[in-house]
Amino acid sequence: MKDTLTALFGKPEGIILFQLIEASQFTIYLSLIAFAGGATFGGLLTLLRILPNKAVQRSATAFVWLFQSTPLLMLLFLTGLGAPRFLGLDISPWTAAVISLTLHSSAFMADVWRGALESVPSGQWEAARAVGLSFFRSLQKVIMPQAVRAALAPTVSFMVQIIKGTSLAYIIGFHDLMAIGKRWANATVPGSEPFIIFPVMALIYFSLCYPLTLWSRHLEKSLGTKPREPVVTTA
């Protein structure tokens, strides 16, 4: 691929384009890992926030509020630079980026999924309990199948935000599309000027995000749902 791009665009443009495309794979890997981690912890937070226990609900809500209120850039600084320096921990940029994006994603996905659960009429809960189903059986058999339909579109849509959020990870030394692009943009090489590099990077990010946006719109129309913006509540 490198030779093909070099033959098509020449040097250094072909080499730059190859390195940007190659680096985008790490952006994709980080996004997928952060999505999986955020979905796991977000699901747990969602469950804790609907349990019939006020103390547990408040604790989960406090976690959501904390990590929704903390900028992602600050989380990256704390995990990638602060913890290694002040706690003496050996944390790689990969690990720091995954931890930061997972915490950030879980807080927002917990609100998306809680909104989906709340979109199910309360009468469904009452009907399930009336036939003798426990809380968890009601959730599993009656509420979740309906909530999943409402959650799919906004969940896919939030994946776009995760991909864009990975662009901040370069600040702690994570080598992804943004890091390689900025390195070339700062190089004194003809053909790597910022007004060339950044539009190319924007096109690559667009190619990653736009299909997900289209998929989210398709799900919204086909399932008859409307994405709900995550909002921090105090319940």
Side-chain angles (χ1 to χ4, degrees), residues 13-26:
E13 289 83 359
I15 297 174
I16 294 173
L17 184 56
F18 169 75
Q19 290 189 4
L20 291 177
I21 294 174
E22 185 179 45
S24 65
Q25 67 179 310
F26 298 106

Side-chain angles (χ1 to χ4, degrees), residues 122-134 138 142:
S122 59
Q124 296 292 306
W125 283 102
E126 296 169 0
R129 300 304 291 270
V131 297
L133 294 180
S134 65
S138 299
V142 179

